[in-house]
Amino acid sequence: MSQPTLEHDAFFYETDEGFVSALAPFLREGLERDHTTVVATSRARIGLLQDTLADDAAAVRFLPHDDWYTRPGAVIAAWRQLLDESTAEGRPYTRLIGEVRFGDTEAEWASWTRYEGALNAAFRRQPAWIVCPYDLRSLPESVVEEARRTHPTVWEDARRPSDDYQDPAALLERVPEPIPGVEAHPVLHLEIPDGLASVRRAVTAASAGRLSPTRRDDLVLVANEVATNALRHGAGVRRLRVWTLPDGVLCEVTDEGEASPHPLAGYVPPDRLAERGHGLWVARRLCDALSVASTTAGTSVRFVVRG
Amino acid sequence: MERGATRGDGPIRDPGRLGIGDHACWAYASDAEHQEILSGYLSAGLRAGERLVFLGAQDGYHETVRGALGAGGHDVDRLLAEGRLILGTAEDSYLSDGTFDADARVADYRAMVRRAVDDGYPGLRVAAETNWLLETPHALKTWPTYEFRAEILARRIPFSALCCYDARAWPADELAMLRSLHGLDVRMRHPEEAAGFHLRARSDGGIAVAGELDVVHAELVCQVLTACGEETGAPVLDLTGLRFADVAAMRALAHGARTIARAHGHVALLDGPPILRRLWRLLELDRLVPESHWDT
């Protein structure tokens, strides 16, 4: 038998009964086979599942999704940890139900659509079945359409391969990371010399009074890692620019090189023993938004930290 | 807790204050300064009754020492005859058989210290020139690790060392990095200003990392810590003075901590700013060293 690999379904439902009647059996089947079973969804739907599963619910791990879906990078890391724990416990397989909290803005929709696409690459080789419920009553049409592109399998009346599935790298290139617009004049503009200390000092100074100490530390670390990449992999003059937002700080690091980072950079968990690749992985988990754009003029990385 | 040290981890202006347990870097930029500092360091050793070793760049350097000690009223020939002063050249001492063998050198110093103590001296005081390294690429590669082994050694046996670097000959970056691997720095405002970070041995034989450490020196610190972890006198990696560590640096520190833990069965990580622990968790470094080793 070949090794089981990732199954990633978009499950479309229009009624609570439809939700429960498909997903409760999905969980029960998992429990019968000694699979790890985890559900992240709203408290209301957690209640529905618990009522239906009755005593069996005790063996399922429930995560209220208001606390779970914080930032795409952080959620991928949290799922990975969960999958690793499952393997470490000797479970053969993991079944996850993850109902993304898509939010109310187009920026959030894009950000979580990118997350859904990236999951296919991040957990490509995991023995896991991830089912993502989409509530057709409340979600905008565009989000539902994208779900057909971010999931290899769709589950409506029956499970079947999605005709519209798009390769994750292509999807992430097509759907750009939403990033706030900026005013013409940054509060800070700096050419990055060889040392990174000047970047850290500049970002610390520019974020004074705008961010909590914890979020300022996060921003300084992210700026350091992005600047490290620019110095290592970029070319020409590397620049740092910083703008303040009403609720946070936006930074941009540019270089004049032709090397363009892979669209999935920072989304796919690096091998823990690998020497490289951890910087962007950590940056994606700490930032509220991080976008990478490559043009003929070079590469530009913009990132936002709020709060 | 560190017991009262003869030294802090700060700068030192007067080389006469250096004593047993001290491992100091001294970057000099003039011949006049050279004589003054050497004289101060070695005279203090004579006052303390220690055995002195000076390893010059070439024989000519011995005249500097003769002049310096002679001016202080010491009979240099008698000191040599009594075995209180030993003069040699750094190149001959460090490059036996033409190659630099760090293990052999450390063993050598241990033996010399033991002999000094057996002969009734309270300890051994060494000053050594380092110019020979600039023409010896293979030795230069392992030198940072060797320097830090000397740093730990000085905390564990009655030994002190003044490492003499001619700032006119050494590339500034390299010299700054090497200065950061000495507990003390003669005539510098603060050691960590050189390369941004500072590594030193605590008085209990543990290791303390201070300043800001990033990808530029992460690999070096990883090499030094993994090479020296087994030689530490206490299973302590003290990060209380570390203001910043990036991803590469944190991974380097975790590898170092693991080496110490393997040698001692445990390592205590002394906490610095909260971002360090956050980053430790983000990088899942508890897989290398369980988070229970953190000590707040």
Side-chain angles (χ1 to χ4, degrees):
Chain A
M1 204 181 107
S2 65
Q3 282 292 101
T5 53
L6 181 71
E7 298 281 338
H8 186 204
D9 301 4
F11 168 65
F12 301 112
Y13 68 98
E14 283 180 286
T15 62
D16 289 352
E17 294 72 38
F19 179 88
V20 173
S21 64
L23 297 184
F26 170 78
L27 292 170
R28 270 220 176 89
E29 189 180 81
L31 293 173
E32 282 162 15
R33 297 180 185 184
D34 197 30
H35 296 171
T36 298
T37 51
V38 184
V39 178
T41 184
S42 69
R43 285 176 200 276
R45 283 186 282 280
I46 286 176
L48 288 174
L49 284 171
Q50 283 172 331
D51 289 347
T52 310
L53 290 170
D55 290 350
D56 289 340
V60 179
R61 183 158 171 199
F62 291 99
L63 306 161
H65 73 171
D66 290 348
D67 307 332
W68 190 252
Y69 288 99
T70 49
R71 282 189 280 279
V75 180
I76 293 176
W79 283 135
R80 172 161 85 145
Q81 194 166 358
L82 228 138
L83 289 167
D84 285 352
E85 281 168 17
S86 170
T87 308
E89 285 168 14
R91 303 296 187 103
Y93 200 70
T94 302
R95 291 183 182 221
L96 304 176
I97 295 174
E99 182 155 24
V100 174
R101 205 179 43 128
F102 271 94
D104 307 315
T105 63
E106 282 186 24
E108 288 170 285
W109 301 342
S111 182
W112 288 107
T113 291
R114 287 168 59 82
Y115 156 85
E116 285 277 42
L119 277 190
N120 298 302
F123 300 131
R124 198 159 48 98
R125 293 204 188 89
Q126 291 279 356
W129 188 351
I130 305 179
V131 176
C132 306
Y134 280 76
D135 187 344
L136 300 178
R137 296 168 295 189
S138 60
L139 287 170
E141 206 172 308
S142 63
V143 169
V144 175
E145 263 174 46
E146 291 291 6
R148 297 180 188 280
R149 302 191 184 103
T150 52
H151 295 79
T153 307
V154 287
W155 187 356
E156 287 164 291
D157 300 326
R159 279 188 83 218
R160 59 178 172 77
S162 172
D163 298 332
D164 303 322
Y165 178 66
Q166 191 168 22
D167 167 74
L171 182 117
L172 265 69
E173 262 185 298
R174 184 175 55 78
V175 181
E177 171 88 350
I179 201 92
V182 291
E183 295 161 26
H185 299 294
V187 294
L188 191 143
H189 186 177
L190 175 81
E191 274 189 23
I192 303 174
D194 290 340
L196 293 159
S198 63
V199 172
R200 297 194 291 267
R201 264 186 274 291
V203 172
T204 303
S207 56
R210 299 241 159 217
L211 298 173
S212 69
T214 304
R215 292 303 274 158
R216 183 200 59 211
D217 287 350
D218 290 350
L219 180 67
V220 170
L221 179 63
V222 171
N224 182 88
E225 296 305 321
V226 173
T228 297
N229 283 347
L231 290 170
R232 285 204 155 171
H233 309 300
V237 181
R238 285 83 159 176
R239 292 190 172 85
L240 166 75
R241 295 194 293 169
V242 182
W243 292 267
T244 53
L245 304 172
D247 58 347
V249 176
L250 186 153
C251 300
E252 179 191 63
V253 173
T254 54
D255 71 73
E256 297 167 343
E258 286 172 9
S260 153
H262 193 276
L264 283 158
Y267 280 104
V268 179
D271 182 338
R272 291 186 178 88
L273 297 175
E275 289 301 319
R276 302 273 169 95
H278 299 274
L280 263 188
W281 168 240
V282 165
R284 281 232 179 263
R285 291 155 75 183
L286 295 176
C287 289
D288 290 292
L290 187 153
S291 82
V292 182
S294 293
T295 65
T296 47
T299 299
S300 141
V301 181
R302 285 187 174 187
F303 45 98
V304 175
V305 167
R306 299 190 162 93
Chain B
M1 200 63 195
E2 280 192 87
R3 64 189 152 78
T6 53
R7 60 177 190 184
D9 59 346
I12 182 161
R13 290 183 180 279
D14 175 11
R17 282 181 49 214
L18 293 171
I20 284 169
D22 290 339
H23 171 241
C25 182
W26 166 45
Y28 59 89
S30 75
D31 294 341
E33 185 192 0
H34 190 245
Q35 175 148 357
E36 183 196 332
I37 297 285
L38 266 184
S39 156
Y41 176 67
L42 294 175
S43 302
L46 287 177
R47 281 197 300 277
E50 296 162 7
R51 175 173 278 168
L52 313 180
V53 175
F54 176 69
L55 303 176
Q58 62 250 345
D59 291 341
Y61 277 56
H62 294 163
E63 295 313 312
T64 312
V65 172
R66 283 176 171 276
L69 292 178
H74 299 288
D75 181 343
V76 175
D77 288 320
R78 208 174 119 200
L79 293 173
L80 286 166
E82 288 172 356
R84 285 196 68 183
L85 173 66
I86 298 167
L87 296 177
T89 68
E91 194 165 346
D92 291 346
S93 306
Y94 287 97
L95 287 178
S96 48
D97 307 332
T99 56
F100 174 65
D101 180 343
D103 289 338
R105 285 307 304 164
V106 170
D108 235 32
Y109 272 125
R110 282 185 176 278
M112 283 167 77
V113 170
R114 207 174 309 124
R115 259 199 313 277
V117 172
D118 289 348
D119 291 347
Y121 297 98
L124 186 76
R125 176 176 291 243
V126 177
E129 295 290 338
T130 53
N131 281 18
W132 62 276
L133 278 159
L134 292 167
E135 275 107 55
T136 321
H138 83 272
L140 201 52
K141 242 174 111 181
T142 52
W143 188 252
T145 297
Y146 173 76
E147 276 286 27
F148 201 69
R149 288 173 79 177
E151 166 75 12
I152 293 175
L153 200 65
R155 287 303 203 185
R156 305 197 66 186
I157 58 175
F159 169 65
S160 72
L162 180 67
C163 307
C164 314
Y165 290 85
D166 187 339
R168 297 164 295 191
W170 278 82
D173 282 1
E174 198 132 1
L175 182 52
M177 177 268 283
L178 288 163
R179 290 170 98 151
S180 293
L181 301 174
H182 292 75
L184 286 165
D185 199 279
V186 177
R187 292 204 169 174
M188 239 175 74
R189 286 211 305 118
H190 199 278
E192 72 178 49
E193 283 182 12
F197 76 100
H198 184 218
L199 223 58
R200 70 178 171 93
R202 288 159 44 100
S203 59
D204 62 7
I207 297 176
V209 191
E212 298 184 20
L213 188 59
D214 60 34
V215 66
V216 177
H217 293 109
E219 202 180 317
L220 168 88
V221 167
C222 186
Q223 266 170 28
V224 168
L225 292 182
T226 49
C228 301
E230 288 179 15
E231 292 173 38
T232 48
V236 175
L237 188 58
D238 178 349
L239 307 181
T240 49
L242 188 61
R243 294 191 305 273
F244 176 84
D246 70 358
V247 166
M250 211 49 174
R251 289 172 54 79
L253 293 171
H255 281 287
R258 186 172 61 165
T259 311
I260 298 172
R262 280 182 175 166
H264 293 268
H266 175 79
V267 59
L269 283 155
L270 306 189
D271 220 347
I275 182 73
L276 300 182
R277 189 88 75 96
R278 263 164 69 65
L279 187 52
W280 185 274
R281 287 190 189 130
L282 286 169
L283 293 169
E284 300 173 59
L285 292 171
D286 50 338
R287 283 164 181 269
L288 290 179
V289 179
E291 209 181 315
S292 57
H293 291 277
W294 283 89
D295 212 333
T296 22

